[in-house]
Each structure stands twice: as C-alpha cells, then as structure tokens.
Amino acid sequence: MKQLFKAVALTVAFVGAPVLAADTAEVGKPAPAFTLKDEAGKTHSLADYKGKVVVLEWANSECPFVKRHYEAKTMQTTQKGFDAKKVVWLTVDSTASHDAKFAADWKKKEGFTQPVLVDTDGKVGKSYAAKTTPHMYVIDGQGVVRYAGAIDDDPRGKGAKTNYVKTAVDAVLNGQQVPTATSEPYGCSVKYKS
Amino acid sequence: MTHPWRKRSGSRLGGLGAVAMVLLAAVAQAALPASAVGSTAPDEGDPRLEGALVLDATQVKAGGELRVGVRLTLDPDWHVYWKNPGDSGLATDVSWDAPGVTVGELRWPFPQTFRTPDGFITTHGYHDQVLLFAPARVSEAATGTLTVSAAVDALVCKVHCIPAQLVLSRTLPVGPETVADPEFAPQFDAAQAQVPLAPDAQGAPRVALALEGTTLTAGKAFTGTLTVTTADGKPYAGGVEGDFFVPGRILGVDQVALKPSGEGRFALEGKASSVAAKREPRLTGSLRLGTQATGFTAVDVDAPLAPMVADGAVAAAAPLKLPSVKDAAGKVAPAAVASAPAAAESPMGLGLALVFAFLGGALLNLMPCVFPVLALKAYGFTRMVQEEKGKVAPHAAAYAGGILVTMMLLAGAVLAVRAGGASVGWGFQFQEPLFVAAVSAILVAFALNLFGVYTLGADGTALAGKVDQSHGLLRSAGEGVLAVVLATPCSAPLLGTAVGFAFAAGAATVVAVFLALGLGLALPFCVLVLVPGLAKRLPKPGMWMERGKQFLGFALLATTVWLVWVMGGLAGVDGMGRLLAFLIAVGLGTWLYGQSQGLEGGRRGVTVGLAVLTLVGAGTVALRFDEAQASVETRGATVAAHGGSQAWDEAAVSAALAAGQPVFVDFTADWCLTCKFNERTVLSREDVRQAFMKHNVAFFVADWTRRDARITAKLAAHGRAGVPMYLVLSPGSPDKPEVLNELLTADSVIQAVQRADGCESPLKAGSMVCARP
C-alpha cells in the first residue's frame, strides 16, 4: 500500500515536468520530424530516409571550427567511411543570415557532395536543440536519436583520439549500443534569428 | 618532441590567414617588455584581444612564491570563455612553460553569463578585461633570471568567433628577497577577490544541497533546495543579483538553474540528460552571494546529486523511499543524508540516540580496546574495597569524571574540526600519527609504572611498599581518560548508529550523545559502587595482586604493539622505527624519573632534568612522521587478507553492479580493532569465502586508516561516523544497500550475500523487484 502511494507520488512529481520535451531531440527518443529544402531547392524529409542511418551536421561555414574541420577534411573523411547505401549525411545551416545561394557557394568552394539543408528561420535547429557549429546527431533506421554531441574529442585541434560520429554510426550499423551516446559539442554558437 | 603550442602556428587555421600567427602588439604598455604583450584574433584586420603576461613581483627569491597571470583585454562586445563555456564556445586555455618555477592551477574569477537575444544559447565568460592567474613557486635552486612563458588559446566571440593564440614571455630576476610589483600586485589582489572560494576554505559560506528524490531519472526534470549558511552557521541573509550561479560541466545533467526562495535558500531546478551517466552526477559550479552595494563573495559549489537511473526502470528500481513530495516541501535534509537509503529508516530521535549511546558505551567495556583498562581498574578496586572501603565511591566518581571530561574534550575536538570545515568520524584522531605516538607513550609509561619502575604522585618518598599511593584520585581519573582514548578505535553494536546521529546533528546533540556514551562506559564501576555488597564479593588481596599487576603491564605493552603496527599503516616502516625509538626514550625517561624518586636534593633535580631532557630530545628528533611513507604493503594488508578484493571506488562498485555482481564493501581502518576482529574471525572464514565465491560477490575494501573525505562522506551517508561499516549491495536494487551490524557473524554475512544475489534469476526473485535488464 505504502509502495503504491509512493509510486503515485513519484508519478505526480514528474507529471507536468518535461512533457513538452517530446518534440526535441533526445538520445533514445524519436528524432523530431523535419522537411527542409537544400541549396538546390530539393526537399528532404527525415521520413524519406526511414531504414537508413541519418547523420545530421549543423554547420556554419563562417565559424572557425567548421572551417577547421572542412580544411582538415574531418567531415568529408568521416562521411566517405560510411556505406552510402546505408548512411545518409545531411548538413544543416540554421544561420539566420544564410540562404540557399550562400550554401551553394560554400558547397562549391569546398567541393563536397552532401546536401546542405537551409534552415534560415532556425525552427529545425531549435527543435534539435542544436547549439553549436558543428553539432552532430546520429539517427537510426527507426528514426531514434542514437548520438548527439561533438564530432570528436578534439576541441582545440590538437589531434582527435575518438571520432564520436564514426563510432556511433558503426555501432548502430552493427546493432550494438553506442559507446558514447552524448558528448559536449564545441564550437561557435548557432547564429539563430531572434 | 614538438612543443604543444608551437605546432599550432600553421595549417589548420590557415584559412584565417594570420589568425594563428602571434602578433606582438605595437601598443605594448610601457610597464611591460614587448615579449610580455601580444594581441591577436584580428577581425577585418583589427585585433579584438590583447593579452599581457603579468607577474605580481619584480624580483623573487629562490624558494619564494609569486603569482603569474595573463591579463586579457577585449574590444567592447567581445568576450572570451570561462572554464565551462556553456552551450557553445571554448574554454580559454592557458598553459605555462617556466623552467625553475612550479605553476599551480589556474584561478578563474567569477564569470559573466551571456545569452543570445532569444535566450536559446547561454554561455559563460568575460568581457572588457580579465586577469587569469595561477600561484607559482620558485625552485630553491633558482639563480640569475627566470623566464616565464604562457601560451593562451582562446576563442573570442561577438556574433562571430575568432580563435586567438598568444605566446607571451617575461623574465624575472632572482634576488635575496621577493619584491612585490606596486602596479600589478593590486591587480592580482583584485582578481583574487573575484575568484570563488573553495567550499572548505576558511570563512567560506557553507552550501548544502537537498534533492527531492533519491535518484535522477534520465531525461527528466529534478528539483531540490540549496541552503547557504554563513561560516558561523547562520542562514545567509543577504541578497544576490544578476546571474549569480554559473554551473560547471556536469556529466549527466543538461540544465541547472537556481532561484532565490527565501533567506539563504535557493530552489534548484534541473534536467537530467537523456542518457544516464555512469557516475553519480555532482552539482558543480560557482555561486556569487551579495550585491553591488554590499560587495560579493563567490564560493564554489560541489555537492553530490543522486545516482541516475534510466527512464522506465525508475518505478521498479527506486520506489521513492525517502522523500515524498510532501516531505520535500517542508523539510530540508543535507543532501548526503537525503540520498542515503539508510536514512530512509525511521529517523532517530535524540532520546533513542542517547539510549543507544549509553548501551553502546557499556558494551565498549567488553571490547578488546577497553579491556586492559578495565582489568587494571578491577584490580585497583579489589584492593581498595578491602583496605579503604570508604574511598570506593570517590574513586569511582573520579574514574567516571575522567571519562566524562575526556568525552567532552573529544566532543569539543569534533566540533572544532567540524567548524573548520573538515568532516571527522569516530576514532578520527587515530588518523593522526602524533596522536598514535602519544597514546603509545602513555601505554608504555603506564606499563612501566605497573612494573614498579617508578611510582606516580608519590612525592619522592615513595618506596616499593607504598604502592598504595599510586591509587590517588588523580590516577583514577587518569584511568578514565585512558579508557576513553583506548575506546575510540573500537566500535560496539549500537554505538555507530548513535555517534553517526550525533555527528550529523547540532553541537548540543554531539555533547549529549558523548555524555551518554561516557556514562555507559563508566557503568561497570558505577554499578560496583551503587549495588551494595557487590564490591565485597571481589577476591581478597594478596601476593597474586602484585603478579597480576605486572601481568597487566604486559597487556598494555601488547596494546602498544598494535599501535606500532597502526603507525606502520600511517607512516610506513620509517614511522614505526621512529615510534619505537621514541618509546625506548620514554622507557629511559621514566626509568630515570624512577631513579630520582630514591634521591634527595640536587642529585634528584639533575636526574629529573635528565629524564625530561631524554623525553624532549627524543621527541624532537623522532616524532616526525611522513605520511607519504606509508608502505603500500601495509596499506594493502586488509585487501590482501581477503583474496580477490579491491580498493573501494564508487565507479568500480557501479561497474560491478552493472555487471550483475552483488557487492560487499568493508569500511575498515588499521586502528579499528572491531574491524580487524571481524576480518579475522568472520570475513576470512572458509564458509564465508565460499559464499562469496558462489554468489560471485565483488569485495571492496574502503580503508579509512588515514584521512579520506570520500569515505567519511560515504559513512555519513549511511548515518555512521566511523568504521566498521559493512554494506551489501544487490545488482537488482543498487540503491538500497543493506547495512550490516558492527559485529559480524558468519551467518549474517552469508545470508546478506544470498539476499543480494536473490535478484540474479527472475525465478528466484520471489516478491523482490529486480530491475536488471
């Protein structure tokens, strides 16, 4: 009886707390749905990639951390290491001052191939609680967030020991638990419209 | 090997052109050499950050201390980051290269909090100007000049961010005296005033956290109350302003915020990460008290939150034991207690604690620690009862008085140490080598007295036939003192609970419980006096008493052997040697004193002088114990005594539980006789070992021989103030450890281990709820 009362008390304690958190990205929970246009005007929805592992990369080509990773080819190399039939890489730019043309220019300059989704109003970025560039998410084939955080453990560019995204994607593909499911992302803040 | 900051000058950040280049500022202040000033992080060619390497001395002596710092000056609206940058950014990094100088940890003044206009991103850092500094010590061998270099790696942000790297360097002459720099020393002092105090610093406000739950649930919100009291124990009454709390990076927690909720009270709101942290998260950060008008005091906060459980498992794994929502609103318990399952038992009242203390004190008489004193006292009473009947009551009173006064001194010491910010436990004084040495010396001196080497208080005219004199009231009181001193490394049933209760409560309770404990300890002799006719039933005195007395002397020496062994654990073989040398000097000194008792006048004075000289001289030379010397071998003795055990570590315990192993934790100390007794007679028994093997128990030893704040805290979390304590944890319900009795029996251990393993198979679980995957 006492136990039952406590269980009720426990439930009451947590009701009204983060029910509203249902539509933000949390590891272990379904990823927020989105539909965005890329730099070429093509529409991408998370639902389109059901059954595939989706890597989301928040980026801002003006951020020194993003520049560093693109020059060191961290993002490109990580992406190339995956089987393109099983893994989709989407770059998202939530910078308020950027548009499709800006994204297209950047893509051309760096010569990479993945789509850059333009999220100028920042709605998708905020639904994922993306706060830094780069900020990385790995979503499994069932649409569940399996990793959120930094690309690697190297905020100062001294040489990474662990590429968290690569480790997470490999684990998901092998049906294993992601060893590090969250990490502190580092970099510039996302320059949201406000 | 390339210097870590030299290789940064190039390629990776080359996109920003000169960004990674170290530019020397043309606008260097006149006070500083050019190499001590630099600027970088150019924005459209304009440097946004200037840095200067500053020292608080213009000259320093070999072996002297100084402060070394980096003063960062930023353009308006630009900022650099604190050690926890917050949602984005990068902590400012300062690394030092200073041959001949040992540079300490970087001191961070209390930071500002920055928010994006929509409030979505929060960061912590500094704008305008900040002095990040570190204490430094110059080598004893330093001569000539010293070169201090600093490499600063910072991210400078306004809307956009620019990385900045500076390499700054200064030289400093070594001279006969340290000379403060009149310009920079005040800047260091001002920066120092902004640095949060360590939680245990002298005069620092005390911060206690009470969480409204025994666990954090992954992805869920949690709440609690932070209570702030001034250093002298009053609730903090001043205000706070602005962003007065900046959290550290807390693994397992996404957000925390504090809101003032009353005098010295702050409501804590937080949200646990969606992924359960492996270690128990701690609330870390800095709290700034005060207002612009009153001035600020910042203090670092570091308090345990609660173990994390995965969402869904919570209802089964942690059926909210302690704090119903109702309780939490009304009462604030210290976090350590609130999160402790042991505290979930019906809270003990003062009355019950006093009864426990009294009974525990009485039981102490039967423990091996106090027994030699008890025997000694029994002997003394035997002859007194026969020869000086009327004096029995005064002697019993003196003995009880000695016990009570010493108990009060002990209570005073506990309160004093606690007021100093450290936590102590029952028997804590045995963690102090000098105390162990003093007790050993007293025991040896006492033993020699029993051997007749000298007589006590006999005023020089004492002869062997006048040994009766040694039964002065003072001696009875002294025996009371000795009884308490020897009792502390022992624990008895009920004692742990009572003392634990006292240590967690106010000063009056500590005094009351210690008094009750003393009365319990004095009980046998009070009974002897109070029950008429009982004294007369003691055996008649005779020659056996003289032999018995000398025999007891050997019992005291045997106790000394144990203390020498304890010293080995505290200060190594070297410490044992020093203690033995000192004890021989004590023997020599007392022998000289004994000789003097047969002499007259000047010769007597000389002999007494020699005795004192021997003691003082030997004490000065020998009583220097280096605790770092404690031999690893001795430290590991307990661990080795139980094959396959390992040193206690919260993370290792969690790992073992996660792996499905039941866990047994033995909280022990070399000087704790009850612990040693349990280890030898119960824990090393074959059937107990078999049970541990059968149930695959992970055996941990928490050794409290020397001071260990983690262990003290863990003891307190279970309402205990000292060792022994035995915890049995089940992988099925890791949050509900079973605390075993102080005196173990093989059956109790085996059954507890069986219960802990009961969750292993769902078929065996019965009515128990097992939340293991």
Side-chain angles (χ1 to χ4, degrees):
Chain A
M1 192 60 212
K2 220 169 177 180
Q3 215 75 335
L4 178 71
F5 172 76
K6 281 167 180 169
V8 171
L10 179 73
T11 316
V12 171
F14 284 116
V15 161
V19 181
L20 50 107
D23 59 347
T24 64
E26 274 186 45
V27 171
K29 299 245 167 90
F34 63 81
T35 303
L36 285 173
K37 283 186 176 170
D38 68 15
E39 82 291 340
K42 187 175 174 244
T43 302
H44 300 260
S45 290
L46 182 61
D48 300 344
Y49 301 107
K50 201 161 190 300
K52 290 189 179 184
V53 175
V54 176
V55 177
L56 294 183
E57 173 210 0
W58 258 264
N60 167 2
S61 56
E62 291 170 296
C63 167
F65 290 83
V66 173
K67 285 184 187 178
R68 187 188 95 202
H69 280 303
Y70 271 86
E71 275 159 27
K73 307 241 180 269
T74 319
M75 298 300 171
Q76 299 93 314
T77 313
T78 307
Q79 191 187 156
K80 274 184 200 139
F82 300 137
D83 181 346
K85 285 188 221 107
K86 293 179 185 161
V87 181
V88 178
W89 186 293
L90 301 172
T91 298
V92 188
D93 188 349
S94 296
T95 313
S97 60
H98 293 179
D99 55 13
K101 186 178 178 307
F102 191 95
D105 289 348
W106 177 45
K107 186 169 164 173
K108 200 171 152 194
K109 178 178 160 258
E110 292 292 344
F112 58 79
T113 52
Q114 80 271 14
V116 180
L117 310 188
V118 183
D119 178 39
T120 307
D121 63 11
K123 277 190 187 142
V124 175
K126 287 193 177 173
S127 77
Y128 275 80
K131 291 189 174 171
T132 61
T133 51
H135 200 154
M136 311 296 297
Y137 298 84
V138 174
I139 301 163
D140 71 12
Q142 275 73 51
V144 174
V145 180
R146 301 291 294 273
Y147 172 77
I151 173 72
D152 58 21
D153 59 354
D154 181 28
R156 293 180 197 280
K158 293 183 174 176
K161 288 193 195 75
T162 307
N163 183 317
Y164 294 127
V165 170
K166 179 161 175 36
T167 316
V169 171
D170 288 346
V172 171
L173 289 176
N174 291 324
Q176 290 162 346
Q177 201 165 3
V178 176
T180 306
T182 56
S183 66
E184 286 287 344
Y186 59 86
C188 314
S189 57
V190 176
K191 314 302 180 205
Y192 284 113
K193 185 173 94 178
S194 48
Chain B
M1 207 183 95
T2 333
H3 205 276
W5 67 62
R6 291 281 145 73
K7 69 178 180 194
R8 304 188 41 79
S9 56
S11 58
R12 286 197 173 173
L13 294 162
L16 282 180
V19 163
M21 294 291 291
V22 176
L23 300 177
L24 296 182
V27 287
Q29 292 100 335
L32 294 170
S35 63
V37 184
S39 69
T40 183
D43 176 47
E44 292 165 3
D46 220 3
R48 297 306 179 186
L49 169 79
E50 283 172 17
L53 177 62
V54 290
L55 310 171
D56 73 344
T58 51
Q59 174 184 287
V60 71
K61 66 174 179 187
E65 287 177 9
L66 77 158
R67 287 175 289 187
V68 296
V70 171
R71 192 183 57 190
L72 303 174
T73 310
L74 293 131
D75 275 7
D77 300 330
W78 290 79
H79 59 264
V80 291
Y81 293 94
W82 187 53
K83 58 184 173 183
N84 171 24
D87 289 334
S88 69
L90 185 69
T92 304
D93 183 62
V94 180
S95 29
W96 300 93
D97 182 21
V101 182
T102 311
V103 182
E105 212 178 313
L106 202 64
R107 302 283 195 265
W108 301 83
F110 190 84
Q112 275 196 295
T113 296
F114 306 105
R115 286 188 181 79
T116 51
D118 56 358
F120 192 63
I121 296 173
T122 306
T123 55
H124 314 291
Y126 308 99
H127 72 282
D128 292 340
Q129 194 175 70
V130 65
L131 176 56
L132 301 177
F133 66 96
R137 177 183 287 277
V138 177
S139 145
E140 296 282 352
T143 51
T145 57
L146 296 165
T147 302
V148 179
S149 302
V152 182
D153 182 355
L155 187 67
V156 195
C157 297
K158 183 183 176 186
V159 176
H160 289 294
C161 300
I162 316 170
Q165 282 88 31
L166 295 128
V167 177
L168 307 166
S169 199
R170 272 191 78 178
T171 56
L172 178 73
V174 178
E177 281 311 318
T178 300
V179 180
D181 186 315
E183 184 185 352
F184 291 112
Q187 293 188 16
F188 278 94
D189 292 341
Q192 177 77 64
Q194 309 274 321
V195 175
L197 298 164
D200 54 358
Q202 192 82 45
R206 306 277 164 226
V207 180
L209 172 66
L211 209 64
E212 284 172 31
T214 47
T215 51
L216 300 185
T217 310
K220 298 283 165 101
F222 60 87
T223 54
T225 305
L226 200 74
T227 322
V228 180
T229 46
T230 57
D232 50 6
K234 298 189 185 77
Y236 172 75
V240 290
E241 66 181 32
D243 287 297
F244 60 89
F245 178 69
V246 281
R249 279 214 156 147
I250 308 174
L251 213 64
V253 171
D254 281 349
Q255 305 155 12
V256 276
L258 286 181
K259 279 183 201 144
S261 66
E263 200 160 270
R265 286 162 68 98
F266 298 90
L268 172 79
E269 286 177 11
K271 184 169 168 269
S273 306
S274 51
V275 179
K278 292 189 185 79
R279 282 167 183 255
E280 179 174 326
R282 296 180 75 84
L283 178 71
T284 58
S286 300
L287 182 66
R288 189 177 62 169
L289 304 164
T291 57
Q292 203 75 46
T294 61
F296 296 110
T297 306
V299 62
D300 277 333
V301 178
D302 184 4
L305 282 160
M308 265 184 101
V309 294
D311 194 5
V314 65
L320 252 202
K321 219 172 169 199
L322 199 183
S324 71
V325 178
K326 199 176 67 192
D327 287 347
K331 271 192 301 211
V332 176
V337 176
S339 63
E345 294 155 16
S346 63
M348 196 193 230
L350 177 60
L352 192 59
L354 291 178
V355 172
F356 274 31
F358 183 77
L359 294 177
L363 286 170
L364 266 180
N365 282 297
L366 300 176
M367 295 289 137
C369 315
V370 190
F371 199 72
V373 184
L374 194 77
L376 198 66
K377 202 68 211 132
Y379 152 79
F381 270 110
T382 309
R383 63 168 300 122
M384 232 184 295
V385 165
Q386 306 301 334
E387 297 180 3
E388 309 164 69
K389 289 179 181 107
K391 280 194 180 170
V392 175
H395 275 278
Y399 176 70
I403 287 180
L404 292 181
V405 167
T406 318
M407 278 292 177
M408 286 307 92
L409 287 177
L410 197 57
V414 166
L415 292 174
V417 174
R418 206 168 64 174
S423 34
V424 294
W426 182 243
F428 72 98
Q429 67 275 46
F430 277 89
Q431 295 171 341
E432 197 53 63
L434 283 178
F435 183 83
V436 174
V439 175
S440 315
I442 291 171
L443 284 174
V444 167
F446 237 103
L448 292 175
N449 173 247
L450 295 178
F451 295 149
V453 169
Y454 68 101
T455 48
L456 256 188
D459 209 20
T461 54
L463 296 167
K466 286 204 167 187
V467 191
D468 315 8
Q469 296 276 0
S470 63
H471 285 283
L473 287 177
L474 206 58
R475 177 172 171 140
S476 281
E479 280 164 352
V481 173
L482 197 64
V484 176
V485 165
L486 286 178
T488 46
C490 241
S491 188
L494 307 178
L495 184 79
T497 324
V499 177
F501 173 82
F503 277 31
T509 310
V510 173
V511 171
V513 167
F514 273 65
L515 269 180
L517 197 56
L519 287 174
L521 190 56
L523 181 70
F525 292 102
C526 298
V527 169
L528 205 63
V529 175
L530 295 177
V531 177
L534 193 60
K536 294 207 177 89
R537 308 190 70 150
L538 289 168
K540 290 194 163 29
M543 197 49 204
W544 70 269
M545 289 190 59
E546 195 58 26
R547 291 194 203 103
K549 197 179 73 160
Q550 288 171 2
F551 175 78
L552 282 173
F554 285 103
L556 291 186
L557 285 184
T559 313
T560 318
V561 171
W562 160 66
L563 285 171
V564 169
W565 180 75
V566 167
M567 181 62 87
L570 288 170
V573 175
D574 189 47
M576 292 169 86
R578 284 170 181 275
L579 178 57
L580 284 172
F582 176 65
L583 292 181
I584 288 171
V586 168
L588 183 63
T590 48
W591 176 74
L592 281 169
Y593 177 70
Q595 296 301 305
S596 80
Q597 288 180 324
L599 300 171
E600 301 282 337
R603 293 175 68 183
R604 178 162 189 247
V606 170
T607 322
V608 172
L610 261 178
V612 172
L613 202 69
T614 310
L615 276 180
V616 175
T620 328
V621 175
L623 293 180
R624 287 184 193 159
F625 299 105
D626 184 358
E627 291 181 52
Q629 286 289 315
S631 73
V632 176
E633 190 191 325
T634 321
R635 254 183 265 168
T638 312
V639 178
H642 200 282
S645 60
Q646 44 184 321
W648 175 71
D649 178 81
E650 198 82 84
V653 169
S654 307
L657 288 171
Q661 282 185 281
V663 167
F664 187 96
V665 193
D666 175 10
F667 290 82
T668 181
D670 285 351
W671 41 259
C672 164
L673 283 182
T674 314
C675 307
K676 293 293 140 194
F677 181 77
N678 284 332
E679 276 155 24
R680 300 280 145 88
T681 59
V682 176
L683 292 180
S684 53
R685 260 174 69 148
E686 195 49 38
D687 52 347
V688 174
R689 279 166 175 262
Q690 291 285 345
F692 275 53
M693 300 247 286
K694 183 176 156 211
H695 296 287
N696 191 24
V697 174
F699 187 95
F700 290 92
V701 173
D703 188 353
W704 202 49
T705 300
R706 286 174 296 155
R707 289 175 289 271
D708 187 325
R710 286 180 319 142
I711 294 177
T712 312
K714 194 72 189 174
L715 292 169
H718 291 281
R720 293 292 174 85
V723 287
M725 178 169 85
Y726 303 98
L727 289 187
V728 183
L729 292 96
S730 163
S733 50
D735 305 316
K736 292 189 288 181
E738 186 177 348
V739 185
L740 302 186
N741 202 308
E742 283 102 331
L743 275 185
L744 293 179
T745 62
D747 281 350
S748 69
V749 175
I750 294 169
Q751 280 166 16
V753 165
Q754 273 168 355
R755 276 195 297 277
D757 198 26
C759 278
E760 188 75 66
S761 149
L763 293 174
K764 280 196 285 172
S767 60
M768 243 172 132
V769 186
C770 297
R772 288 180 51 219

